[in-house]
């Protein structure tokens, strides 16, 4: 099962004693955090679907040719599960695209601050890297789902050739490995951003 629930930003509380730049930075971070709310919810649903789908696939692979009707029912459920994940991925793309627009606020702040500009510049670069990695992740995940669909189509064939099935399983595993690699990269960048928040804030002052 893929662990797709990724690390999120830390929601920051605004304090009365903070400078204007600090307050602007905090407001921008919180805006991005809130904009990604639907994305975080999608990750939970994706995990659940992925887990249920993997269990059903293992059950289907253990069936014998004489269990034709059960195989057909299972394959149909597997296909529906992929379609449900495709909808979630589409929604996630849209959510992250909207959240990406909050980058402009950080860029504007960077242009105006006198102190902490270098740290803020690094923060902005990491945000851009994070959203680019997410786009790559979504592309890779869609390819992964396509190979899963191809696998399920093979399972539905009356005269299934195990050699061909093994090749397709290998393709699915390869695509999955790349998805996991991108997830780890995305999580690492997000964790770096969470840490950078604590470095940027003390360096912002009027």
């Amino acid at each position: 099962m893929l662990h797709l629930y990724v690390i999120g930003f830390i929601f920051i509380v605004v304090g009365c004693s903070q400078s204007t730049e600090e307050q602007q930075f905090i407001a921008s971070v919180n805006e991005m955090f809130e904009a990604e709310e639907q994305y975080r919810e999608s990750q939970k649903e994706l995990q659940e679907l992925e887990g249920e789908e993997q269990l059903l696939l293992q059950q289907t692979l253990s069936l014998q040719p004489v269990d034709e009707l059960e195989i057909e029912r299972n394959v149909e459920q597997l296909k529906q599960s992929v379609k449900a994940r495709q909808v979630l991925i589409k929604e996630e793309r849209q959510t992250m695209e909207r959240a990406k627009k909050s980058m402009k606020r950080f860029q504007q702040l960077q242009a105006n601050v006198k102190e902490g500009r270098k740290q803020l510049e690094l923060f902005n670069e990491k945000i851009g890297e994070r959203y680019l990695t997410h786009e790559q992740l979504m592309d890779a995940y869609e390819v992964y789902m396509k190979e899963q669909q191809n696998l399920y189509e093979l399972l539905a064939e009356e005269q299934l050739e195990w050699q061909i099935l093994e090749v397709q399983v290998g393709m699915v595993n390869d695509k999955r490995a790349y998805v996991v690699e991108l997830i780890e990269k995305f999580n690492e960048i997000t964790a770096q951003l969470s840490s950078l928040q604590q470095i940027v804030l003390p360096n912002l002052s009027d």
Side-chain angles (χ1 to χ4, degrees), residues 27-183:
S28 299
V29 170
N30 290 345
E31 178 184 307
M32 183 177 292
F33 183 87
E34 291 171 352
E36 293 185 3
E37 175 63 28
Q38 183 58 48
Y39 146 77
R40 292 189 292 275
E41 291 300 319
S42 294
Q43 292 305 308
K44 297 176 184 178
E45 294 183 57
L46 278 171
Q47 274 196 43
E48 293 176 2
L49 286 170
E50 182 88 15
E52 294 170 357
E53 198 172 313
Q54 288 298 314
L55 288 174
L56 184 58
L57 175 59
Q58 293 302 319
Q59 293 173 8
T60 306
L61 289 172
S62 67
L63 294 173
Q64 302 299 316
V66 292
D67 303 312
E68 181 179 351
L69 290 178
E70 187 173 356
I71 290 174
E72 289 180 358
R73 285 195 298 269
N74 288 0
V75 167
E76 184 58 33
Q77 289 183 46
L78 290 168
K79 290 179 179 178
Q80 291 301 317
S81 179
V82 173
K83 288 181 179 179
R85 285 191 288 137
Q86 287 173 331
V87 170
L88 287 172
I89 289 298
K90 181 179 180 180
E91 292 175 351
E92 181 172 329
R93 277 188 184 274
Q94 294 171 343
T95 296
M96 294 299 273
E97 190 61 34
R98 289 192 296 269
K100 185 179 178 181
K101 295 178 181 178
S102 60
M103 286 180 60
K104 293 180 180 179
R105 292 191 62 173
F106 291 108
Q107 292 166 348
Q108 291 170 353
L109 179 59
Q110 179 184 326
N112 296 329
V113 296
K114 297 177 180 179
E115 302 292 337
R117 180 170 294 182
K118 289 184 178 179
Q119 293 87 347
L120 190 54
E121 182 179 357
L122 178 58
F123 187 84
N124 287 335
E125 289 175 357
K126 281 294 177 182
I127 290 177
E129 184 181 353
R130 179 174 180 266
Y131 282 116
L132 176 60
T133 301
H134 183 268
E135 290 175 11
Q136 295 170 341
L137 171 57
M138 293 295 94
D139 290 342
Y141 194 80
E142 287 185 346
V143 173
Y144 167 62
M145 288 191 293
K146 180 63 179 177
E147 293 300 341
Q148 286 181 304
Q149 287 178 315
N150 293 339
L151 173 61
Y152 301 156
E153 291 291 345
L154 284 176
L155 291 174
E157 293 184 1
E158 293 184 5
Q159 296 181 336
L160 177 62
E161 295 186 23
W162 283 100
Q163 186 175 3
I164 296 177
L165 182 64
E166 288 177 356
V167 171
Q168 185 59 38
V169 169
M171 292 182 68
V172 169
N173 289 337
D174 287 344
K175 301 305 180 185
R176 180 185 186 279
Y178 183 51
V179 167
V180 171
E181 180 183 327
L182 287 172
I183 290 172

